[in-house]
Amino acid sequence: MTAWLSPADVNMVAGYLDLAGVLICGLLGGAVARAEGLDLFGYLVVGTVSGLGDGIIRDTLLHRGTPVALTDAAYPPTAFADTFLAFLIAIGEEHCHRLFTALDAAVLGFWAISGAQKTLAAELA
């Protein structure tokens, strides 16, 4: 009987969830930058730190090489693009609050799955 997902497939799905978390956190960082009234450079800084920072800290704490956000070419453009998107699109404050809550919950779930998979792949309990 074949397994539903092979270990390589699980790692691939966890990688996509990690990248989706970067995307969503970049948008959330852009929403925070909008609330603070920052310019485009401020958006890019806040969104990039928000999108990439958590994964860099996680990978550093795992002590398994260079963080993936610094080695995979998909991560920085994803963080920049969605932060720029948040700069261009203005959402009303009431809708932004509801959207912020839903997206924040989604990113916590994505990164919980991705972090657990990376921890298991690093053979840590």
Side-chain angles (χ1 to χ4, degrees):
M1 184 170 145
T2 61
W4 182 60
L5 285 175
S6 69
D9 291 338
V10 171
N11 286 333
M12 182 182 65
V13 169
Y16 286 139
L17 289 176
D18 193 32
L19 200 56
V22 169
L23 179 94
I24 292 171
C25 261
L27 287 172
L28 295 175
V32 169
R34 180 174 300 282
E36 294 298 319
L38 300 177
D39 61 352
L40 179 58
F41 181 73
Y43 270 77
L44 290 175
V45 169
V46 172
T48 303
V49 169
S50 173
L52 299 178
D54 295 334
I56 290 173
I57 291 171
R58 177 201 60 221
D59 292 346
T60 301
L61 291 174
L62 286 175
H63 294 289
R64 299 290 183 224
T66 306
V68 70
L70 301 177
T71 59
D72 190 342
Y75 281 77
T78 301
F80 293 148
D82 55 0
T83 303
F84 187 67
L85 182 67
F87 178 76
L88 294 176
I89 298 173
I91 299 174
E93 190 170 326
E94 181 182 328
H95 296 301
C96 184
H97 179 66
R98 281 191 252 162
L99 186 63
F100 191 91
T101 303
L103 290 176
D104 196 34
V107 79
L108 286 173
F110 291 165
W111 278 345
I113 293 168
S114 176
Q117 180 57 33
K118 284 183 178 265
T119 302
L120 292 174
E123 298 178 356
L124 299 172

